[in-house]
Amino acid sequence: MTPRSRWLSLLLALPLLLTACQKHDPTPQPAAPACQILRVTPRDAMQTAFTNPLVTVAYTAATIGACEGVQLVNAQRQRIPASVVASSEWPLPNGRIAGSRTIEPDAPLPRDGQFMVQLNGLTLSTFKNGAEQRGALQGPVEDLIVQYGGLPKAARIGRDSINGMLEVLIQDYAKGSAAVADLLRPLLRHELPHFAAPNASHDAVVKRVRYRSADASGAPVTLSGLLIYPAQSPGGPAVDLNGLPMVIGQRGAEKNDADAPSSGKNAMLLIGLIAAGKGHIYFTPDLIGKGDSASATQAFLIAADTAAQTDDMRTAVMSYFMQFHRAQPGADLRIVGPSQGGFSAIAALPHLSRHATVRLVSTGDGPFAIRHTLDAALRAAAGLPRDPYSDRADLARIPDYLGRTLAALQAYQGLSYDPKAVFQPDGSLQPSFLADYRAGRYAHWAPHLAVNSPAAGSQRYDLPLAQVRMYHFSKDTLIAARNTEDMITTFKGGTQRVAHVERGDCREDSALVKALLGLSHSKSLPHTICLPFQLDDFVGRL
């Protein structure tokens, strides 16, 4: 048969082949929906949403930009004017994309109204709002008695104590050993010159703040946080609270029952006292799952909730000064956080930069590419080769980190998983889970993790005056330094508007680092060893 004859035979047979295929599968196959929803906030049927709710939709889609049509409408299906607060999309291994979009109504919604969240014209949730606003103060702002070793047990800390803060840090590291304290004292004085001599001019007033924010469903919940601000010290300069710059501290990863920042026992207190002593208003949110909300599941590495709760506390702090001091703090803002706090700092930037002039962002060892990091660690635990996200990973620490992450994803993004299929009774990973993970049977986790990985997302950061300094120990065994490298690359992307971005100097070959590594056998030390250098540099820039 000639080639032309073969082609003619195939063309004649084509209708028969198509008919045969239709007989085998007579039911038309529905096309995959353009947008598959991971999360909608406020959740459907809620009766108590805020008058100024944040509307967040997380999704997966086949193409970039397919799910950007998030809008808020009233019962008459009239569109409510709203502004985009945060919006980002990420590529997924299967060729799809994951995305998250948060909008906020431009004006408070009418009380007791019925509203709908829509995406591309389809209704995702229907809710009713109450009378409350996000960021409203809840109860009195109370004096908080400091209970941190080496500091006076008082709600007002004098500038002399603030200027002696280095000794507090020395005793923290020494853990009661005079010999270790004597060894560290000259090293810390040399390596941390700004912490050793902060040159505080003011006393610091310490307060506990309670405010209204949203829980996993978007319903009102009371959260707590730490507030510290300057006061005139005896013989010192007067303090005018009007126009003072603000500092936000973001805590690292902690269990629910650990001392929250608002307890007066948490280490985030130290940087706050120095900031206030140098004329700044400082606050640290406990975040949900700590402090007043300790019974709730933490929004651990959940970007949308962490950002909202931080910005809501900023609103509450501003209200406090306006109501009780007739003062309006300034627009200048600096933000600092180690580990989870570094993640929290970056997550909150799109929200905060709408209201404030961000001047400085300081992060330490943050999990900015958590999807890649957890995936690489689990693949390594399953016997696959390590990569730059897992090359130094201490795999024994993965179960605890994974457990916190999955619990948050289940509570805040509706991730469905069976803890017994993942973890053994002793908390270690099930061998069968690792085998299934290696075989790709947990691919549905990827979009849930991606929408909480600011590195490599398309979020545009508008920070024209911000200096961004990102610290990460190259031998971190919990969160690979590649996370910070990826975030720096994201900030330096062509669409970004950031004044300056650089890797902070952890002085890995310094005598202090060598001494700390030699004195401590803590598994956490490689993840936290940059912290003193990060904080010293931050203090020097206040």
Side-chain angles (χ1 to χ4, degrees):
M1 186 181 289
T2 66
R4 182 177 180 181
S5 299
R6 283 196 296 269
W7 279 110
L8 183 59
S9 298
L10 287 171
L11 287 171
L12 291 172
L14 186 57
L16 297 174
L17 292 172
L18 291 174
T19 300
C21 290
Q22 290 171 355
K23 287 181 180 179
H24 283 296
D25 188 11
T27 305
Q29 296 300 309
C35 305
Q36 296 178 344
I37 305 304
L38 303 175
R39 174 194 186 177
V40 181
T41 309
R43 287 185 185 167
D44 191 35
M46 180 183 296
Q47 299 295 308
T48 58
F50 288 106
T51 62
N52 57 339
L54 282 179
V55 174
T56 296
V57 178
Y59 56 86
T60 65
T63 59
I64 293 172
C67 306
E68 292 183 346
V70 178
Q71 63 181 20
L72 191 60
V73 301
N74 61 20
Q76 291 74 42
R77 297 187 179 271
Q78 297 169 322
R79 186 172 181 175
I80 305 295
S83 299
V84 175
V85 178
S87 181
S88 191
E89 293 185 325
W90 298 259
L92 294 174
N94 63 1
R96 291 176 65 83
I97 61 101
S100 179
R101 193 169 182 87
T102 298
I103 65 172
E104 180 183 32
D106 293 340
L109 302 177
R111 179 177 176 179
D112 297 328
Q114 196 81 17
F115 301 94
M116 290 173 280
V117 179
Q118 293 189 336
L119 176 60
N120 297 340
L122 298 176
T123 298
L124 303 181
S125 75
T126 300
F127 67 90
K128 185 177 180 180
N129 68 328
E132 293 192 77
Q133 290 204 353
R134 291 183 297 109
L137 287 169
Q138 183 74 6
V141 175
E142 303 167 332
D143 285 348
L144 178 64
I145 303 300
V146 170
Q147 300 182 60
Y148 203 95
L151 289 170
K153 288 182 170 56
R156 181 173 177 138
I157 305 299
R159 66 176 177 180
D160 289 343
S161 294
I162 296 171
N163 285 325
M165 193 69 71
L166 185 70
E167 192 61 31
V168 176
L169 191 63
I170 291 168
Q171 297 305 322
D172 256 3
Y173 278 119
K175 305 299 182 189
S177 170
V180 171
D182 290 342
L183 173 65
L184 289 178
R185 191 169 286 107
L187 289 175
L188 288 170
R189 288 192 181 282
H190 174 71
E191 298 282 359
L192 310 179
H194 304 297
F195 218 86
N199 297 319
S201 302
H202 312 289
D203 291 356
V205 175
V206 186
K207 298 279 188 178
R208 179 184 177 90
V209 176
R210 293 178 177 87
Y211 64 100
R212 297 295 265 172
S213 191
D215 66 8
S217 69
V221 65
T222 296
L223 302 182
S224 49
L226 171 71
L227 170 64
I228 309 178
Y229 56 91
Q232 184 173 14
S233 61
V239 174
D240 182 0
L241 295 172
N242 281 293
L244 287 189
M246 300 185 79
V247 173
I248 300 177
Q250 295 281 20
R251 62 168 177 81
E254 299 167 349
K255 294 184 178 180
N256 289 48
D257 58 356
D259 293 327
S262 67
S263 69
K265 304 175 185 178
N266 188 284
M268 294 306 296
L269 174 84
L270 305 185
I271 191 71
L273 291 173
I274 293 177
K278 292 175 72 68
H280 294 69
I281 294 168
Y282 171 92
F283 71 87
T284 294
D286 291 336
L287 300 178
I288 196 166
K290 300 278 294 178
D292 277 20
S293 61
S295 60
T297 301
Q298 290 192 42
F300 180 65
L301 303 183
I302 304 294
D305 298 82
T306 298
Q309 292 159 22
T310 300
D311 195 33
D312 290 346
M313 186 171 180
R314 183 203 65 83
T315 300
V317 168
M318 296 291 285
S319 295
Y320 166 71
F321 284 104
M322 288 293 291
Q323 291 180 32
F324 296 96
H325 295 279
R326 299 294 185 267
Q328 183 168 351
D332 282 4
L333 176 67
R334 292 159 178 82
I335 184 166
V336 58
S339 187
Q340 180 188 346
F343 169 89
S344 300
I346 300 302
L349 283 177
H351 295 62
L352 296 170
S353 60
R354 300 170 70 226
H355 311 292
T357 304
V358 180
R359 296 282 184 175
L360 178 61
V361 181
S362 175
T363 70
D365 300 76
F368 308 116
I370 192 63
R371 182 181 77 78
H372 290 300
T373 298
L374 275 178
D375 177 64
L378 290 173
R379 287 167 59 84
L384 294 172
R386 294 187 179 227
D387 68 12
Y389 295 95
S390 61
D391 55 358
R392 297 182 181 276
D394 178 359
L395 300 182
R397 301 190 67 191
I398 296 305
D400 175 67
Y401 207 81
L402 178 64
R404 296 187 194 196
T405 304
L406 293 178
L409 291 176
Q410 185 178 56
Y412 291 85
Q413 289 180 193
L415 176 68
S416 178
Y417 85 103
D418 179 5
K420 293 182 180 178
V422 177
F423 302 102
Q424 299 190 71
D426 65 358
S428 60
L429 298 177
Q430 293 277 12
S432 57
F433 160 72
L434 291 174
D436 286 344
Y437 193 90
R438 177 171 177 156
R441 296 190 182 99
Y442 284 84
H444 63 287
W445 288 5
H448 285 275
L449 291 165
V451 298
N452 297 296
S453 299
S458 61
Q459 172 68 49
R460 184 176 185 271
Y461 296 92
D462 190 18
L463 309 168
L465 300 177
Q467 301 289 314
V468 180
R469 296 174 70 86
M470 310 189 78
Y471 296 77
H472 214 126
F473 188 47
S474 64
K475 298 176 182 178
D476 189 342
T477 58
L478 181 62
I479 302 297
R482 179 65 180 267
N483 282 262
T484 288
E485 294 167 11
D486 286 354
M487 196 67 234
I488 289 174
T489 299
T490 296
F491 274 131
K492 289 184 175 181
T495 63
Q496 305 299 345
R497 191 176 179 221
V498 183
H500 181 74
V501 186
E502 65 178 319
R503 180 86 173 258
D505 184 5
C506 286
R507 298 173 226 173
E508 298 191 15
D509 294 324
S510 69
L512 177 58
V513 168
K514 292 176 181 177
L516 292 174
L517 289 173
L519 289 168
S520 174
H521 300 290
S522 169
K523 290 184 177 181
S524 298
L525 188 60
H527 182 59
T528 59
I529 202 163
C530 286
L531 182 58
F533 303 110
Q534 177 193 357
L535 296 185
D536 186 71
D537 178 70
F538 188 79
V539 169
R541 293 169 183 270
L542 292 178

